[in-house]
Coordinates of all heavy atoms in Angstrom, one line a residue:
Chain K
D43 N 92.2 69.7 8.1 CA 92.0 68.5 7.4 C 93.2 67.5 7.5 O 93.1 66.4 7.8 CB 91.6 68.7 5.9 CG 90.2 69.1 5.8 OD1 89.3 68.4 6.4 OD2 89.9 70.0 4.9
E44 N 94.3 68.1 7.1 CA 95.5 67.3 7.0 C 96.0 66.8 8.4 O 96.4 65.7 8.6 CB 96.6 68.1 6.3 CG 97.9 67.4 5.9 CD 97.7 66.2 4.9 OE1 96.6 66.2 4.3 OE2 98.6 65.4 4.8
V45 N 95.9 67.7 9.4 CA 96.3 67.3 10.7 C 95.4 66.2 11.2 O 95.9 65.2 11.8 CB 96.2 68.6 11.7 CG1 96.4 68.1 13.2 CG2 97.2 69.6 11.3
S46 N 94.1 66.3 10.9 CA 93.1 65.3 11.4 C 93.5 63.9 10.7 O 93.5 62.9 11.3 CB 91.7 65.7 11.0 OG 90.8 64.6 11.1
R47 N 93.7 64.0 9.4 CA 94.1 62.8 8.6 C 95.3 62.1 9.2 O 95.3 60.9 9.4 CB 94.3 63.1 7.1 CG 94.1 62.0 6.1 CD 94.4 62.5 4.7 NE 95.8 62.9 4.6 CZ 96.8 62.0 4.5 NH1 96.6 60.7 4.5 NH2 98.0 62.4 4.3
R48 N 96.3 62.9 9.4 CA 97.6 62.3 9.9 C 97.6 61.9 11.3 O 98.3 60.9 11.7 CB 98.7 63.3 9.7 CG 99.1 63.5 8.3 CD 100.3 64.5 8.2 NE 100.7 64.6 6.8 CZ 101.9 64.4 6.4 NH1 102.9 64.0 7.3 NH2 102.3 64.5 5.2
S49 N 96.9 62.6 12.2 CA 96.9 62.3 13.6 C 95.8 61.2 14.0 O 95.9 60.6 15.0 CB 96.6 63.5 14.4 OG 95.3 64.0 14.2
G50 N 94.8 61.1 13.1 CA 93.7 60.1 13.4 C 92.8 60.7 14.4 O 91.9 60.0 14.9
V51 N 92.9 62.0 14.8 CA 92.0 62.7 15.7 C 90.9 63.4 14.8 O 91.3 64.1 13.9 CB 92.7 63.7 16.6 CG1 91.7 64.4 17.5 CG2 93.8 63.0 17.4
A52 N 89.7 63.2 15.2 CA 88.6 63.8 14.4 C 88.6 65.3 14.4 O 89.0 65.9 15.3 CB 87.2 63.3 15.0
K53 N 88.2 65.8 13.2 CA 88.2 67.3 13.1 C 87.3 68.0 14.2 O 87.7 69.0 14.7 CB 87.6 67.7 11.7 CG 88.7 67.8 10.6 CD 88.1 68.1 9.3 CE 87.6 69.5 9.1 NZ 87.2 69.8 7.8
T54 N 86.2 67.4 14.5 CA 85.3 68.0 15.5 C 86.1 68.0 16.9 O 85.9 69.0 17.6 CB 84.0 67.1 15.7 OG1 84.4 65.7 15.8 CG2 83.1 67.3 14.6
T55 N 86.9 67.0 17.2 CA 87.7 67.0 18.4 C 88.7 68.1 18.4 O 88.9 68.9 19.3 CB 88.4 65.7 18.6 OG1 87.4 64.6 18.5 CG2 89.0 65.6 20.0
I56 N 89.4 68.3 17.2 CA 90.4 69.3 17.1 C 89.7 70.7 17.3 O 90.2 71.5 18.1 CB 91.1 69.3 15.7 CG1 91.8 67.9 15.5 CG2 92.1 70.4 15.5 CD1 92.5 67.7 14.2
Y57 N 88.6 70.9 16.6 CA 87.9 72.2 16.7 C 87.4 72.5 18.1 O 87.1 73.6 18.5 CB 86.8 72.4 15.7 CG 87.3 72.8 14.3 CD1 87.1 72.0 13.2 CD2 88.1 74.0 14.2 CE1 87.6 72.3 12.0 CE2 88.6 74.3 12.9 CZ 88.3 73.5 11.8 OH 88.8 73.9 10.6
R58 N 87.2 71.4 19.0 CA 86.7 71.6 20.3 C 87.8 72.2 21.1 O 87.6 73.1 22.0 CB 86.3 70.2 20.9 CG 85.4 70.4 22.1 CD 84.9 69.0 22.6 NE 84.2 68.3 21.6 CZ 84.4 67.0 21.4 NH1 85.2 66.3 22.2 NH2 83.8 66.3 20.4
H59 N 89.1 71.9 20.8 CA 90.2 72.4 21.6 C 90.8 73.7 21.0 O 91.3 74.6 21.7 CB 91.3 71.4 21.7 CG 90.9 70.1 22.4 ND1 90.3 70.1 23.7 CD2 90.9 68.9 21.9 CE1 90.0 68.9 24.0 NE2 90.3 68.1 22.9
W60 N 90.7 73.8 19.7 CA 91.2 75.0 19.0 C 90.2 75.5 18.1 O 89.9 74.9 17.1 CB 92.5 74.7 18.2 CG 93.7 74.3 19.1 CD1 94.5 75.1 19.8 CD2 94.0 72.9 19.4 NE1 95.5 74.3 20.5 CE2 95.2 73.0 20.2 CE3 93.6 71.6 19.0 CZ2 95.8 71.8 20.7 CZ3 94.2 70.5 19.5 CH2 95.3 70.6 20.3
P61 N 89.6 76.7 18.4 CA 88.4 77.1 17.6 C 88.7 77.4 16.1 O 87.8 77.4 15.3 CB 88.0 78.4 18.3 CG 89.1 78.8 19.2 CD 89.9 77.5 19.5
S62 N 90.0 77.6 15.8 CA 90.4 77.9 14.4 C 91.7 77.3 14.1 O 92.5 77.0 14.9 CB 90.4 79.4 14.2 OG 91.4 80.0 15.0
R63 N 92.0 77.2 12.7 CA 93.3 76.8 12.3 C 94.4 77.7 12.9 O 95.5 77.2 13.3 CB 93.4 76.9 10.7 CG 94.7 76.7 10.1 CD 94.7 76.9 8.6 NE 96.0 76.8 8.0 CZ 96.8 77.9 7.8 NH1 96.3 79.1 8.0 NH2 98.0 77.8 7.2
E64 N 94.1 79.0 12.9 CA 95.1 80.0 13.4 C 95.5 79.7 14.9 O 96.7 79.7 15.3 CB 94.5 81.4 13.4 CG 94.6 82.1 12.0 CD 93.8 81.3 10.9 OE1 92.7 80.9 11.3 OE2 94.3 81.2 9.8
S65 N 94.5 79.4 15.7 CA 94.8 79.1 17.1 C 95.6 77.9 17.3 O 96.5 77.8 18.2 CB 93.5 79.1 18.0 OG 92.7 78.1 17.5
L66 N 95.3 76.9 16.4 CA 96.1 75.6 16.5 C 97.6 75.9 16.1 O 98.5 75.5 16.7 CB 95.5 74.6 15.5 CG 96.3 73.3 15.3 CD1 96.6 72.6 16.7 CD2 95.6 72.4 14.3
L67 N 97.7 76.7 15.0 CA 99.1 77.1 14.5 C 99.8 77.9 15.6 O 101.0 77.6 15.9 CB 99.0 78.0 13.3 CG 98.7 77.3 12.0 CD1 98.4 78.4 10.9 CD2 99.8 76.4 11.6
L68 N 99.2 78.8 16.2 CA 99.8 79.6 17.3 C 100.3 78.7 18.4 O 101.4 78.9 18.9 CB 98.8 80.7 17.8 CG 98.6 81.9 16.9 CD1 97.4 82.7 17.5 CD2 99.8 82.7 16.9
D69 N 99.4 77.8 18.8 CA 99.8 76.9 19.9 C 101.0 76.0 19.5 O 101.9 75.9 20.3 CB 98.6 76.0 20.3 CG 98.5 75.7 21.7 OD1 99.4 76.2 22.5 OD2 97.6 74.9 22.1
A70 N 101.0 75.5 18.3 CA 102.1 74.6 17.9 C 103.4 75.4 17.8 O 104.4 74.9 18.2 CB 101.7 73.9 16.6
C71 N 103.3 76.6 17.2 CA 104.5 77.4 17.0 C 105.0 77.9 18.4 O 106.2 78.1 18.5 CB 104.2 78.7 16.2 SG 103.9 78.3 14.5
S72 N 104.2 78.1 19.4 CA 104.6 78.6 20.6 C 105.6 77.7 21.3 O 106.3 78.1 22.2 CB 103.5 79.0 21.5 OG 102.8 77.8 21.9
Q73 N 105.7 76.4 20.8 CA 106.7 75.5 21.4 C 108.1 76.1 21.0 O 109.1 75.6 21.6 CB 106.5 74.1 20.7 CG 105.2 73.5 21.2 CD 105.2 72.0 20.7 OE1 106.2 71.4 20.4 NE2 104.0 71.5 20.7
L74 N 108.2 77.0 20.0 CA 109.5 77.5 19.6 C 110.0 78.6 20.5 O 111.1 79.0 20.5 CB 109.4 78.1 18.2 CG 108.8 77.1 17.1 CD1 108.7 77.9 15.8 CD2 109.8 76.0 16.9
R75 N 109.0 79.1 21.4 CA 109.4 80.2 22.3 C 110.2 79.7 23.5 O 109.8 80.0 24.6 CB 108.1 80.9 22.8 CG 107.6 81.9 21.8 CD 106.3 82.5 22.4 NE 105.4 81.5 22.8 CZ 104.1 81.7 23.0 NH1 103.6 82.9 22.8 NH2 103.3 80.8 23.4
T76 N 111.3 79.0 23.3 CA 112.1 78.6 24.5 C 113.3 79.5 24.6 O 114.0 79.7 23.6 CB 112.5 77.2 24.3 OG1 113.0 77.0 23.0 CG2 111.4 76.2 24.6
R77 N 113.5 80.0 25.7 CA 114.6 81.0 26.0 C 115.9 80.2 26.2 O 115.9 79.3 27.1 CB 114.3 81.8 27.2 CG 115.3 82.9 27.4 CD 115.0 83.7 28.7 NE 116.1 84.6 29.0 CZ 115.9 85.9 29.0 NH1 114.8 86.5 28.9 NH2 117.0 86.7 29.3
P78 N 116.9 80.4 25.4 CA 118.2 79.7 25.7 C 118.7 80.1 27.1 O 118.5 81.2 27.5 CB 119.1 80.1 24.6 CG 118.5 81.4 24.0 CD 117.1 81.4 24.3
A79 N 119.4 79.2 27.8 CA 120.0 79.5 29.1 C 121.1 80.5 28.8 O 121.8 80.5 27.8 CB 120.6 78.2 29.7
V80 N 121.3 81.5 29.8 CA 122.3 82.5 29.6 C 123.6 82.0 30.3 O 123.6 81.8 31.5 CB 121.9 83.8 30.2 CG1 122.9 84.9 29.9 CG2 120.5 84.2 29.8
P81 N 124.7 81.8 29.6 CA 125.9 81.4 30.2 C 126.4 82.6 31.1 O 126.1 83.7 30.9 CB 126.9 81.2 29.0 CG 126.3 82.0 27.9 CD 124.8 82.1 28.2
D82 N 127.3 82.3 32.1 CA 127.8 83.3 33.0 C 129.2 83.0 33.3 O 129.6 82.6 34.4 CB 126.9 83.4 34.3 CG 127.1 84.7 35.0 OD1 127.9 85.5 34.6 OD2 126.5 84.8 36.1
T83 N 130.1 83.2 32.3 CA 131.5 82.8 32.5 C 132.3 83.9 33.1 O 133.5 83.7 33.4 CB 132.2 82.5 31.1 OG1 132.1 83.7 30.3 CG2 131.4 81.4 30.4
G84 N 131.7 85.1 33.3 CA 132.5 86.2 33.9 C 133.1 87.1 32.8 O 133.7 88.1 33.1
K85 N 133.0 86.6 31.5 CA 133.6 87.5 30.4 C 132.5 87.6 29.4 O 132.0 86.6 28.9 CB 134.8 86.8 29.8 CG 136.1 86.9 30.7 CD 137.3 86.5 30.0 CE 137.9 87.5 29.1 NZ 138.3 88.8 29.8
V86 N 132.2 88.8 29.0 CA 131.1 89.0 28.0 C 131.4 88.4 26.7 O 130.5 87.8 26.0 CB 130.8 90.6 27.8 CG1 132.0 91.3 27.1 CG2 129.5 90.8 27.1
K87 N 132.7 88.4 26.3 CA 133.1 87.8 25.0 C 132.8 86.3 24.9 O 132.2 85.8 24.0 CB 134.5 88.0 24.7 CG 134.9 87.7 23.2 CD 136.3 87.9 22.9 CE 136.6 87.6 21.4 NZ 138.0 87.6 21.1
T88 N 133.2 85.6 26.0 CA 132.9 84.1 26.1 C 131.4 83.9 26.1 O 130.9 83.0 25.4 CB 133.6 83.5 27.3 OG1 134.9 84.1 27.4 CG2 133.8 82.0 27.2
D89 N 130.7 84.6 27.0 CA 129.2 84.4 27.0 C 128.6 84.6 25.7 O 127.7 83.8 25.3 CB 128.6 85.4 28.0 CG 128.9 85.1 29.5 OD1 129.5 84.0 29.7 OD2 128.6 85.9 30.4
L90 N 129.0 85.6 24.9 CA 128.4 85.9 23.6 C 128.8 84.8 22.6 O 128.0 84.5 21.7 CB 128.7 87.3 23.1 CG 128.0 88.4 23.9 CD1 128.5 89.8 23.4 CD2 126.5 88.4 23.8
E91 N 130.0 84.3 22.7 CA 130.4 83.2 21.8 C 129.6 82.0 22.1 O 129.1 81.4 21.1 CB 131.9 82.9 22.1 CG 132.9 83.9 21.4 CD 134.3 83.6 21.7 OE1 134.6 82.7 22.5 OE2 135.2 84.2 21.1
V92 N 129.3 81.7 23.3 CA 128.5 80.5 23.6 C 127.1 80.7 23.0 O 126.6 79.8 22.4 CB 128.4 80.3 25.2 CG1 127.4 79.2 25.5 CG2 129.8 79.9 25.7
L93 N 126.5 81.9 23.2 CA 125.2 82.1 22.7 C 125.2 82.1 21.2 O 124.3 81.6 20.5 CB 124.7 83.5 23.2 CG 124.3 83.5 24.7 CD1 124.0 84.9 25.1 CD2 123.0 82.6 24.9
A94 N 126.2 82.7 20.5 CA 126.2 82.8 19.1 C 126.4 81.4 18.5 O 125.8 81.1 17.5 CB 127.3 83.8 18.6
C95 N 127.3 80.6 19.1 CA 127.5 79.2 18.5 C 126.2 78.4 18.7 O 125.8 77.7 17.9 CB 128.7 78.6 19.2 SG 130.3 79.3 18.8
G96 N 125.6 78.6 19.9 CA 124.3 77.9 20.2 C 123.2 78.2 19.2 O 122.6 77.3 18.6
A97 N 123.1 79.5 18.9 CA 122.1 80.0 17.9 C 122.4 79.4 16.5 O 121.5 78.9 15.8 CB 122.0 81.5 17.8
S98 N 123.7 79.4 16.2 CA 124.1 78.8 14.8 C 123.7 77.4 14.7 O 123.2 76.9 13.7 CB 125.6 79.0 14.6 OG 125.9 80.4 14.7
M99 N 123.9 76.6 15.8 CA 123.6 75.2 15.8 C 122.1 75.0 15.7 O 121.6 74.2 14.9 CB 124.1 74.5 17.1 CG 125.6 74.4 17.3 SD 126.4 73.6 15.9 CE 127.2 75.0 15.1
R100 N 121.3 75.7 16.5 CA 119.9 75.6 16.5 C 119.3 75.9 15.2 O 118.3 75.4 14.7 CB 119.2 76.4 17.6 CG 119.3 75.7 19.0 CD 118.3 76.3 20.0 NE 118.4 77.8 20.1 CZ 119.4 78.4 20.7 NH1 120.3 77.7 21.4 NH2 119.5 79.7 20.7
L101 N 119.9 76.9 14.5 CA 119.4 77.3 13.2 C 119.6 76.2 12.1 O 119.2 76.4 10.9 CB 120.1 78.6 12.7 CG 119.5 79.8 13.4 CD1 120.4 81.1 13.1 CD2 118.1 80.1 12.9
Q102 N 120.3 75.1 12.5 CA 120.4 74.0 11.5 C 119.5 72.9 11.8 O 119.6 71.8 11.2 CB 121.9 73.7 11.4 CG 122.7 74.8 10.7 CD 124.2 74.7 10.7 OE1 124.7 73.7 10.2 NE2 124.8 75.6 11.4
E103 N 118.7 73.0 12.9 CA 117.8 72.0 13.2 C 116.5 72.1 12.4 O 116.2 73.2 11.9 CB 117.4 72.1 14.7 CG 118.6 71.7 15.6 CD 118.4 72.1 17.1 OE1 117.3 72.5 17.4 OE2 119.3 71.9 17.9
P104 N 115.7 71.0 12.3 CA 114.6 71.1 11.4 C 113.6 72.2 11.7 O 113.0 72.8 10.7 CB 113.9 69.7 11.6 CG 114.9 68.8 12.1 CD 115.9 69.7 12.9
W105 N 113.3 72.5 13.0 CA 112.3 73.5 13.2 C 112.6 74.9 12.6 O 111.8 75.7 12.3 CB 112.1 73.7 14.7 CG 113.2 74.5 15.4 CD1 114.2 74.0 16.1 CD2 113.3 76.0 15.4 NE1 115.0 75.1 16.6 CE2 114.5 76.3 16.2 CE3 112.6 77.0 14.9 CZ2 114.9 77.6 16.4 CZ3 113.0 78.3 15.1 CH2 114.2 78.6 15.9
S106 N 113.9 75.1 12.3 CA 114.3 76.4 11.8 C 113.7 76.7 10.4 O 113.5 77.8 10.0 CB 115.8 76.6 11.7 OG 116.3 75.8 10.6
T107 N 113.3 75.6 9.7 CA 112.6 75.8 8.4 C 111.3 76.4 8.6 O 110.7 76.9 7.6 CB 112.5 74.5 7.6 OG1 111.6 73.6 8.4 CG2 113.8 73.8 7.5
V108 N 110.7 76.4 9.8 CA 109.4 77.0 10.1 C 109.5 78.5 10.1 O 108.6 79.2 9.8 CB 108.8 76.4 11.3 CG1 107.4 77.0 11.5 CG2 108.7 74.9 11.3
M109 N 110.7 79.0 10.6 CA 110.8 80.4 10.8 C 110.4 81.3 9.6 O 109.7 82.3 9.8 CB 112.3 80.7 11.3 CG 112.4 80.9 12.8 SD 114.1 81.1 13.3 CE 114.2 82.8 13.6

Side-chain angles (χ1 to χ4, degrees):
Chain K
D43 275 321
E44 189 62 13
V45 171
S46 166
R47 204 183 62 76
R48 286 181 176 237
S49 64
V51 176
K53 271 175 73 174
T54 46
T55 310
I56 298 178
Y57 279 120
R58 201 174 304 138
H59 302 301
W60 297 276
S62 64
R63 170 181 175 267
E64 280 63 39
S65 60
L66 173 60
L67 283 173
L68 284 171
D69 211 4
C71 288
S72 65
Q73 295 188 17
L74 305 173
R75 278 181 306 201
T76 46
R77 186 184 172 120
V80 189
D82 196 1
T83 62
K85 288 192 79 62
V86 70
K87 191 179 183 188
T88 318
D89 288 351
L90 290 175
E91 280 177 355
V92 172
L93 287 171
C95 291
S98 303
M99 292 305 109
R100 280 196 308 282
L101 283 169
Q102 290 172 64
E103 290 168 8
W105 76 262
S106 74
T107 64
V108 184
M109 259 172 105

